[in-house]
């Protein structure tokens, strides 16, 4: 790979900025000053800019705690997306969220430029578990738990796979329930539509888990970090 592409891919700067760095003699490969942007970098070469190593990482995986009010999209003309919330040094080419959370849904969102993993985790045949907690208007009953477990039919006749619903608490005075739900699909507005089908409204929805990946309690809304190697290895198995 050409050194200018290598450095641009690693977000050292735009191609133009990288060319300036090369011209200024700031870039070395294995200790030798790079003279032209066309120079090639091979695997295991040591690339440095002003003495600082720039290692090549093809794929990036960010565990993101999505806040309310942003779109799970890569770009939008009018509204903020989750990609806009990444620091500019982390906005690598090809990054995209794995699946979509509604604008008002919070919680775990994986953002990666590994298209294959993205595809595998979303494939309808893979049935990767997604765990959410929600605040629901009304008092969720045992009947609803059974309806969800049986695999319910939505108002538009979509038939869903069985889902596990746990009632965490019911507040009779406020007429609200806290629940945890595990679904194996990721249909459009699925959880809101499931409660809609039993005459209830989801007031708040927060994703806690996708496959083996858990939301990190250290991350505040809008914060993110790279996955650890152990998390990535386990997650790849969820998509197998
Ligand atoms: N189900 C929904 O209704 N919304 C989400 O954001 C995710 C699952």
């Amino acid at each position: 790979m050409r050194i200018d592409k290598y450095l641009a891919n690693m977000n050292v700067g735009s191609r133009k900025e990288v060319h300036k760095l090369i011209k200024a003699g700031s870039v070395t490969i294995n200790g030798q000053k790079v003279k032209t942007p066309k120079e090639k970098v091979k695997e295991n070469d040591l690339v440095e800019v002003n003495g600082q190593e720039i290692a090549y990482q093809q794929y990036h995986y960010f565990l993101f705690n999505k806040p309310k009010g942003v779109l799970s999209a890569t770009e939008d003309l009018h509204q903020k997306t989750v990609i806009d919330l990444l620091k500019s040094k982390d906005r690598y080419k090809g990054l995209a969220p794995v699946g979509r959370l509604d604008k008002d849904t919070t919680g775990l969102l994986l953002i990666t430029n590994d298209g294959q993993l993205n595809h595998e985790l979303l494939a309808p045949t893979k049935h990767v578990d997604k765990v959410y907690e929600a605040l629901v208007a009304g008092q969720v009953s045992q009947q609803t738990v059974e309806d969800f477990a049986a695999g319910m039919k939505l108002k538009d006749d979509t038939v869903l796979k069985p889902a596990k619903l746990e009632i965490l608490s019911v507040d009779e005075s406020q007429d609200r329930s806290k629940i945890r739900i595990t679904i194996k699909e990721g249909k459009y507005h699925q959880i809101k539509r499931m409660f809609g089908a039993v005459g209830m409204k989801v007031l708040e929805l927060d994703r806690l888990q996708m496959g083996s990946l858990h939301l990190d309690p250290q991350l505040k809304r809008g914060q993110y970090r790279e996955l650890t190697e152990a998390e990535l290895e386990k997650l790849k198995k969820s998509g197998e």
Side-chain angles (χ1 to χ4, degrees):
M1 182 186 303
R2 280 172 56 138
I3 184 68
D4 57 349
K5 182 162 193 239
Y6 180 107
L7 294 174
N9 284 358
M10 288 305 96
N11 265 355
V12 168
S14 63
R15 284 271 182 131
K16 212 168 160 190
E17 287 162 344
V18 163
H19 288 185
K20 273 192 192 155
L21 286 168
I22 293 171
K23 217 167 175 188
S26 308
V27 181
T28 59
I29 300 177
N30 302 326
Q32 300 290 317
K33 252 186 206 164
V34 172
K35 296 199 185 75
T36 151
K38 289 186 191 155
E39 214 163 303
K40 290 276 178 3
V41 187
K42 295 183 297 311
E43 222 179 308
N44 299 326
D45 278 348
L46 171 65
V47 175
E48 289 170 296
V49 175
N50 293 321
Q52 211 189 329
E53 182 179 355
I54 309 292
Y56 199 80
Q57 192 182 336
Q58 187 174 9
Y59 296 125
H60 296 267
Y61 305 88
F62 295 118
L63 173 61
F64 185 75
N65 186 349
K66 181 189 171 297
K68 277 188 186 175
V70 289
L71 300 181
S72 302
T74 50
E75 54 185 348
D76 190 88
L77 281 181
H78 307 291
Q79 299 187 62
K80 260 211 168 111
T81 73
V82 289
I83 303 294
D84 294 328
L85 297 191
L86 301 180
K87 297 179 190 112
S88 54
K89 72 170 182 58
D90 292 330
R91 267 181 237 146
Y92 296 97
K93 237 168 91 188
L95 282 179
V98 177
R100 281 171 184 261
L101 294 177
D102 296 336
K103 189 174 167 186
D104 59 350
T105 299
T106 54
L108 187 157
L109 192 64
L110 175 65
I111 299 177
T112 182
N113 55 353
D114 181 344
Q116 173 152 355
L117 182 67
N118 192 329
H119 178 77
E120 282 169 2
L121 290 171
L122 295 182
T125 49
K126 298 286 165 70
H127 313 313
V128 173
D129 278 353
K130 272 88 63 184
V131 182
Y132 296 80
E133 282 186 5
L135 179 66
V136 178
Q139 295 175 32
V140 177
S141 67
Q142 199 52 38
Q143 183 58 52
T144 304
V145 173
E146 284 163 27
D147 289 347
F148 282 19
M152 68 189 311
K153 206 186 221 187
L154 297 178
K155 285 178 183 161
D156 67 355
D157 287 343
T158 305
V159 178
L160 297 176
K161 296 204 161 47
K164 182 175 164 198
L165 176 61
E166 297 160 83
I167 302 171
L168 301 178
S169 63
V170 176
D171 183 337
E172 288 180 20
S173 63
Q174 296 228 40
D175 196 30
R176 289 177 170 189
S177 310
K178 279 200 179 135
I179 60 97
R180 183 177 301 130
I181 181 168
T182 307
I183 58 174
K184 292 187 178 295
E185 302 148 291
K187 299 208 187 294
Y188 181 66
H189 291 332
Q190 180 166 335
I191 295 172
K192 292 176 186 164
R193 289 198 292 152
M194 288 171 83
F195 279 98
V198 293
M200 299 180 97
K201 189 168 171 10
V202 172
L203 303 174
E204 283 175 15
L205 187 59
D206 187 39
R207 182 154 69 184
L208 301 179
Q209 209 180 320
M210 185 176 65
S212 60
L213 198 59
H214 291 255
L215 186 59
D216 182 339
Q218 306 283 334
L219 294 175
K220 298 200 180 87
R221 301 282 186 224
Q223 291 186 331
Y224 63 96
R225 64 162 170 81
E226 292 245 15
L227 292 196
T228 64
E229 280 187 22
E231 281 172 330
L232 181 59
E233 214 171 290
K234 267 177 130 183
L235 186 65
K236 284 187 171 169
K237 289 196 181 119
S238 315
E240 275 171 5

